[in-house]
mmCIF file of all heavy atoms in Angstrom:
data_model
loop_
_atom_site.group_PDB
_atom_site.id
_atom_site.type_symbol
_atom_site.label_atom_id
_atom_site.label_comp_id
_atom_site.label_asym_id
_atom_site.label_seq_id
_atom_site.Cartn_x
_atom_site.Cartn_y
_atom_site.Cartn_z
ATOM 1 N N THR A 1 -1.161 4.946 -4.118
ATOM 2 C CA THR A 1 -1.291 6.410 -4.360
ATOM 3 C C THR A 1 -2.397 6.973 -3.478
ATOM 4 O O THR A 1 -3.449 6.292 -3.249
ATOM 5 C CB THR A 1 -1.779 6.643 -5.803
ATOM 6 O OG1 THR A 1 -0.815 6.074 -6.744
ATOM 7 C CG2 THR A 1 -1.804 8.185 -6.142
ATOM 8 N N ILE A 2 -2.132 8.024 -2.746
ATOM 9 C CA ILE A 2 -3.068 8.666 -1.859
ATOM 10 C C ILE A 2 -3.089 10.249 -2.042
ATOM 11 O O ILE A 2 -2.302 10.828 -2.688
ATOM 12 C CB ILE A 2 -2.642 8.310 -0.338
ATOM 13 C CG1 ILE A 2 -1.211 8.716 -0.150
ATOM 14 C CG2 ILE A 2 -2.833 7.001 -0.057
ATOM 15 C CD1 ILE A 2 -0.833 10.109 0.206
ATOM 16 N N THR A 3 -4.189 10.731 -1.577
ATOM 17 C CA THR A 3 -4.357 12.308 -1.524
ATOM 18 C C THR A 3 -4.347 12.764 -0.023
ATOM 19 O O THR A 3 -3.859 13.968 0.037
ATOM 20 C CB THR A 3 -5.731 12.678 -2.196
ATOM 21 O OG1 THR A 3 -6.731 12.004 -1.504
ATOM 22 C CG2 THR A 3 -5.722 12.221 -3.657
ATOM 23 N N ASN A 4 -4.510 11.910 0.850
ATOM 24 C CA ASN A 4 -4.487 12.282 2.328
ATOM 25 C C ASN A 4 -3.180 11.747 2.849
ATOM 26 O O ASN A 4 -2.993 10.547 2.938
ATOM 27 C CB ASN A 4 -5.702 11.709 2.976
ATOM 28 C CG ASN A 4 -5.646 12.066 4.463
ATOM 29 O OD1 ASN A 4 -4.775 12.562 5.023
ATOM 30 N ND2 ASN A 4 -6.797 11.869 5.101
ATOM 31 N N ILE A 5 -2.303 12.591 3.235
ATOM 32 C CA ILE A 5 -0.974 12.172 3.731
ATOM 33 C C ILE A 5 -1.103 11.370 5.032
ATOM 34 O O ILE A 5 -0.125 10.578 5.418
ATOM 35 C CB ILE A 5 0.002 13.256 3.897
ATOM 36 C CG1 ILE A 5 -0.406 14.263 5.035
ATOM 37 C CG2 ILE A 5 0.215 13.972 2.526
ATOM 38 C CD1 ILE A 5 0.615 15.319 5.325
ATOM 39 N N TYR A 6 -2.164 11.347 5.735
ATOM 40 C CA TYR A 6 -2.234 10.739 6.990
ATOM 41 C C TYR A 6 -3.026 9.365 6.792
ATOM 42 O O TYR A 6 -3.195 8.629 7.749
ATOM 43 C CB TYR A 6 -3.072 11.500 7.993
ATOM 44 C CG TYR A 6 -2.294 12.956 8.227
ATOM 45 C CD1 TYR A 6 -2.891 14.111 7.843
ATOM 46 C CD2 TYR A 6 -1.227 12.911 9.100
ATOM 47 C CE1 TYR A 6 -2.259 15.259 7.982
ATOM 48 C CE2 TYR A 6 -0.491 14.137 9.266
ATOM 49 C CZ TYR A 6 -1.088 15.293 8.728
ATOM 50 O OH TYR A 6 -0.488 16.495 8.930
ATOM 51 N N PHE A 7 -3.462 9.081 5.604
ATOM 52 C CA PHE A 7 -4.223 7.893 5.377
ATOM 53 C C PHE A 7 -3.371 6.701 5.454
ATOM 54 O O PHE A 7 -2.263 6.611 4.790
ATOM 55 C CB PHE A 7 -4.861 7.967 4.072
ATOM 56 C CG PHE A 7 -5.545 6.688 3.574
ATOM 57 C CD1 PHE A 7 -6.779 6.371 4.155
ATOM 58 C CD2 PHE A 7 -4.910 5.991 2.565
ATOM 59 C CE1 PHE A 7 -7.397 5.097 3.699
ATOM 60 C CE2 PHE A 7 -5.600 4.812 2.162
ATOM 61 C CZ PHE A 7 -6.816 4.351 2.710
ATOM 62 N N VAL A 8 -3.763 5.656 6.203
ATOM 63 C CA VAL A 8 -3.094 4.371 6.204
ATOM 64 C C VAL A 8 -4.048 3.314 5.633
ATOM 65 O O VAL A 8 -5.182 3.255 6.122
ATOM 66 C CB VAL A 8 -2.538 3.933 7.550
ATOM 67 C CG1 VAL A 8 -3.554 3.960 8.551
ATOM 68 C CG2 VAL A 8 -1.812 2.605 7.535
ATOM 69 N N PRO A 9 -3.568 2.660 4.568
ATOM 70 C CA PRO A 9 -4.591 1.713 4.022
ATOM 71 C C PRO A 9 -4.940 0.573 4.905
ATOM 72 O O PRO A 9 -4.192 0.034 5.696
ATOM 73 C CB PRO A 9 -3.684 1.138 2.856
ATOM 74 C CG PRO A 9 -2.740 2.104 2.555
ATOM 75 C CD PRO A 9 -2.341 2.743 3.836
ATOM 76 N N PRO A 10 -6.223 0.223 4.967
ATOM 77 C CA PRO A 10 -6.779 -0.855 5.717
ATOM 78 C C PRO A 10 -6.151 -2.225 5.228
ATOM 79 O O PRO A 10 -5.613 -2.209 4.077
ATOM 80 C CB PRO A 10 -8.235 -0.801 5.550
ATOM 81 C CG PRO A 10 -8.490 -0.061 4.399
ATOM 82 C CD PRO A 10 -7.349 0.876 4.250
ATOM 83 N N THR A 11 -6.392 -3.283 5.967
ATOM 84 C CA THR A 11 -5.743 -4.486 5.606
ATOM 85 C C THR A 11 -5.976 -4.991 4.250
ATOM 86 O O THR A 11 -5.007 -5.523 3.575
ATOM 87 C CB THR A 11 -6.309 -5.543 6.587
ATOM 88 O OG1 THR A 11 -5.896 -5.089 7.900
ATOM 89 C CG2 THR A 11 -5.603 -6.944 6.369
ATOM 90 N N ARG A 12 -7.202 -4.909 3.639
ATOM 91 C CA ARG A 12 -7.493 -5.552 2.484
ATOM 92 C C ARG A 12 -7.580 -4.412 1.325
ATOM 93 O O ARG A 12 -8.020 -4.685 0.181
ATOM 94 C CB ARG A 12 -8.931 -6.221 2.450
ATOM 95 C CG ARG A 12 -8.994 -7.308 3.532
ATOM 96 C CD ARG A 12 -10.251 -8.019 3.316
ATOM 97 N NE ARG A 12 -10.254 -9.073 4.382
ATOM 98 C CZ ARG A 12 -9.815 -10.375 4.076
ATOM 99 N NH1 ARG A 12 -9.206 -10.660 3.049
ATOM 100 N NH2 ARG A 12 -9.807 -11.343 5.028
ATOM 101 N N ALA A 13 -6.974 -3.276 1.548
ATOM 102 C CA ALA A 13 -6.947 -2.280 0.425
ATOM 103 C C ALA A 13 -6.062 -2.668 -0.722
ATOM 104 O O ALA A 13 -5.022 -3.269 -0.474
ATOM 105 C CB ALA A 13 -6.495 -0.907 1.049
ATOM 106 N N PRO A 14 -6.391 -2.237 -1.916
ATOM 107 C CA PRO A 14 -5.618 -2.568 -3.017
ATOM 108 C C PRO A 14 -4.360 -1.639 -3.033
ATOM 109 O O PRO A 14 -4.408 -0.541 -2.527
ATOM 110 C CB PRO A 14 -6.481 -2.332 -4.216
ATOM 111 C CG PRO A 14 -7.480 -1.380 -3.742
ATOM 112 C CD PRO A 14 -7.779 -1.614 -2.231
ATOM 113 N N TYR A 15 -3.311 -2.028 -3.693
ATOM 114 C CA TYR A 15 -2.141 -1.225 -3.883
ATOM 115 C C TYR A 15 -1.901 -1.145 -5.389
ATOM 116 O O TYR A 15 -2.228 -2.024 -6.250
ATOM 117 C CB TYR A 15 -0.980 -1.878 -3.209
ATOM 118 C CG TYR A 15 -0.929 -1.705 -1.735
ATOM 119 C CD1 TYR A 15 -1.825 -2.402 -0.889
ATOM 120 C CD2 TYR A 15 -0.101 -0.731 -1.148
ATOM 121 C CE1 TYR A 15 -1.871 -2.108 0.421
ATOM 122 C CE2 TYR A 15 -0.256 -0.493 0.296
ATOM 123 C CZ TYR A 15 -0.953 -1.150 1.039
ATOM 124 O OH TYR A 15 -1.115 -0.912 2.360
ATOM 125 N N ASP A 16 -1.170 -0.034 -5.863
ATOM 126 C CA ASP A 16 -0.928 0.242 -7.159
ATOM 127 C C ASP A 16 0.318 -0.498 -7.663
ATOM 128 O O ASP A 16 0.453 -0.769 -8.830
ATOM 129 C CB ASP A 16 -0.834 1.797 -7.363
ATOM 130 C CG ASP A 16 -2.169 2.445 -6.933
ATOM 131 O OD1 ASP A 16 -3.281 2.023 -7.365
ATOM 132 O OD2 ASP A 16 -2.058 3.308 -6.087
ATOM 133 N N TYR A 17 1.382 -0.507 -6.814
ATOM 134 C CA TYR A 17 2.663 -0.899 -7.401
ATOM 135 C C TYR A 17 3.233 -1.921 -6.356
ATOM 136 O O TYR A 17 3.086 -1.816 -5.236
ATOM 137 C CB TYR A 17 3.612 0.235 -7.573
ATOM 138 C CG TYR A 17 3.107 1.308 -8.453
ATOM 139 C CD1 TYR A 17 2.592 2.475 -7.839
ATOM 140 C CD2 TYR A 17 3.133 1.190 -9.819
ATOM 141 C CE1 TYR A 17 2.156 3.468 -8.728
ATOM 142 C CE2 TYR A 17 2.650 2.112 -10.567
ATOM 143 C CZ TYR A 17 2.082 3.272 -10.095
ATOM 144 O OH TYR A 17 1.631 4.261 -10.902
ATOM 145 N N TRP A 18 3.887 -2.935 -6.929
ATOM 146 C CA TRP A 18 4.622 -3.982 -6.160
ATOM 147 C C TRP A 18 6.020 -4.290 -6.485
ATOM 148 O O TRP A 18 6.514 -4.052 -7.603
ATOM 149 C CB TRP A 18 3.913 -5.246 -6.342
ATOM 150 C CG TRP A 18 2.514 -5.215 -5.840
ATOM 151 C CD1 TRP A 18 1.255 -4.829 -6.475
ATOM 152 C CD2 TRP A 18 1.892 -5.687 -4.631
ATOM 153 N NE1 TRP A 18 0.258 -4.845 -5.645
ATOM 154 C CE2 TRP A 18 0.608 -5.443 -4.567
ATOM 155 C CE3 TRP A 18 2.463 -6.371 -3.456
ATOM 156 C CZ2 TRP A 18 -0.161 -5.811 -3.442
ATOM 157 C CZ3 TRP A 18 1.835 -6.699 -2.399
ATOM 158 C CH2 TRP A 18 0.385 -6.397 -2.434
ATOM 159 N N GLY A 19 6.786 -4.661 -5.434
ATOM 160 C CA GLY A 19 8.134 -5.048 -5.705
ATOM 161 C C GLY A 19 8.222 -6.489 -6.061
ATOM 162 O O GLY A 19 7.202 -7.172 -6.054
ATOM 163 N N GLN A 20 9.495 -6.914 -6.257
ATOM 164 C CA GLN A 20 9.660 -8.334 -6.688
ATOM 165 C C GLN A 20 9.739 -9.339 -5.477
ATOM 166 O O GLN A 20 9.628 -10.574 -5.615
ATOM 167 C CB GLN A 20 10.922 -8.539 -7.487
ATOM 168 C CG GLN A 20 10.869 -7.750 -8.792
ATOM 169 C CD GLN A 20 9.709 -8.339 -9.731
ATOM 170 O OE1 GLN A 20 9.693 -9.552 -9.930
ATOM 171 N NE2 GLN A 20 8.699 -7.557 -10.201
ATOM 172 N N GLY A 21 9.951 -8.752 -4.298
ATOM 173 C CA GLY A 21 10.125 -9.573 -3.166
ATOM 174 C C GLY A 21 11.465 -9.969 -2.647
ATOM 175 O O GLY A 21 12.417 -9.958 -3.505
ATOM 176 N N THR A 22 11.577 -10.220 -1.326
ATOM 177 C CA THR A 22 12.884 -10.636 -0.792
ATOM 178 C C THR A 22 12.530 -11.788 0.196
ATOM 179 O O THR A 22 11.532 -11.755 0.876
ATOM 180 C CB THR A 22 13.523 -9.516 -0.019
ATOM 181 O OG1 THR A 22 14.822 -9.894 0.386
ATOM 182 C CG2 THR A 22 12.841 -8.937 1.107
ATOM 183 N N GLN A 23 13.282 -12.865 0.105
ATOM 184 C CA GLN A 23 13.141 -13.995 0.851
ATOM 185 C C GLN A 23 13.589 -13.862 2.344
ATOM 186 O O GLN A 23 14.719 -13.434 2.550
ATOM 187 C CB GLN A 23 13.862 -15.305 0.293
ATOM 188 C CG GLN A 23 13.687 -16.613 1.170
ATOM 189 C CD GLN A 23 12.258 -17.126 1.072
ATOM 190 O OE1 GLN A 23 11.685 -17.274 -0.067
ATOM 191 N NE2 GLN A 23 11.781 -17.501 2.140
ATOM 192 N N VAL A 24 12.677 -14.232 3.349
ATOM 193 C CA VAL A 24 13.040 -14.382 4.679
ATOM 194 C C VAL A 24 12.888 -15.698 5.191
ATOM 195 O O VAL A 24 11.771 -16.380 5.017
ATOM 196 C CB VAL A 24 12.234 -13.385 5.536
ATOM 197 C CG1 VAL A 24 12.372 -13.570 7.010
ATOM 198 C CG2 VAL A 24 12.500 -11.930 5.078
#
């Protein structure tokens, strides 16, 4: 979740939601 539409999270930033994953 962000308030600044130009903000890109840095490498170690936490995220709010995650998917289940896909195998590559």
Side-chain angles (χ1 to χ4, degrees):
T1 307
I2 51 87
T3 56
N4 179 350
I5 64 171
Y6 302 107
F7 173 77
V8 57
T11 301
R12 298 186 182 276
Y15 283 74
D16 301 306
Y17 305 104
W18 293 83
Q20 293 298 309
T22 185
Q23 176 70 48
V24 171

